[in-house]
Amino acid sequence: MSASDDDDIEMSSAPLIEHLAELRTRLIRSVLAFMAGIVLAFVVAEPILQFLLGPIEATLRTLGDPSPTLQYTSPQEYLFTLFRISMVFGFMLAFPVIAAQMWRFVAPGLYRNEKAAFLPFIIASPIMFLLGAAFAHFVVTPLAMNFFLGFADVSSIFANLLTGAIGEVETVADPNLPVVPDNLGAVVPETDEGIRITFFGKVNESLDITLKFIMAFGICFQLPVLLTLMGKAGLVSAEGLGGVRKYAMVGILVLAALVTPPDVVTQLILFTVVYGLYEISIFLVRRVEKTREQKLRAEGVWFEDDDADEVDPMEAEFDADDEDDGGDLDDLDEDRSKT
């Protein structure tokens, strides 16, 4: 190998080393932002946990539990639950920084029109995810909790104890100062048969259900963003999406059955929302196609398909030449057969 070949290899490897160094810098900044987000989220992890468990609390109070209670059964469970919340919400806090680092790494390699097409989707994606998460937390989770907890007797053990209280309150010289006599106590009411089923929810399992709903609906709300981006790239078309509409309906029904409880109302709500997003995606893809067509028409590079009944003059001329050549060959074959 000559010296010039070695120089060419070294010059071609230089940009790769620079890209790898820049990628390392972007990743380090993203990781630092993620760690900072985890620390900030951990500071307010307990209020976030109370907010996430709000639908369960409201359902228990509606069903007659005066003191909703969740438990944890291992010493580290509650700490790990708070750390899990910190991971999820820390990523959400750090996402603007992570997205900015990704954009600054990818943008130099894109054309101006590609930048204009890709940037709005980076902004729209977290917005749609937040909308899906809010819909899951305020609409779907309460319905799911009502369905799940409606099968059991969810009266708190404290309510059972208070219900079984016996005795009378005696007063002393001052009637405003009642005291509890020795014979007043709280007992669990006796039952003749059967087992009393009471809800004692675990913190991590209850949080797991809430986070699954949030993630599922947040991802489902990415459907318009994904299909519109694919439409801009020319991977899908509005006509194609409309043609598979019936298959999409079946897929959405299967999705609704998998991510929601076996409650017809909840499944119908999810199907209506996701299918509405699918129709919105078709509308957005059609808008993208019209915009592309107008741009190509303005540049003079748009070619429409010829009608089936219209005959191209040049094509007709070639067909006529082919017929003449075919006729000449037939005459030649006929002359040869005569000789």
Side-chain angles (χ1 to χ4, degrees), residues 67-132:
S67 179
T69 304
L70 295 179
Q71 61 179 343
Y72 59 94
T73 56
S74 60
Q76 74 278 7
E77 181 179 335
Y78 187 67
L79 177 62
F80 286 174
T81 300
L82 296 181
F83 184 72
R84 183 181 179 185
I85 293 175
S86 303
M87 292 281 290
V88 175
F89 283 84
F91 179 78
M92 293 176 61
L93 291 176
F95 182 79
V97 178
I98 297 175
Q101 295 300 318
M102 292 174 55
W103 174 252
R104 294 185 65 179
F105 178 74
V106 175
L110 301 177
Y111 294 105
R112 182 177 300 177
N113 58 346
E114 293 175 340
K115 292 180 181 179
F118 189 68
L119 183 59
F121 295 97
I122 296 181
I123 300 174
S125 181
I127 295 176
M128 294 301 296
F129 184 87
L130 290 177
L131 289 177

Side-chain angles (χ1 to χ4, degrees), residues 92 128-138 213-214 217-218 221:
M92 293 176 61
M128 294 301 296
F129 184 87
L130 290 177
L131 289 177
F135 180 80
H137 182 74
F138 292 107
F213 281 141
I214 289 176
F217 279 84
F221 272 61

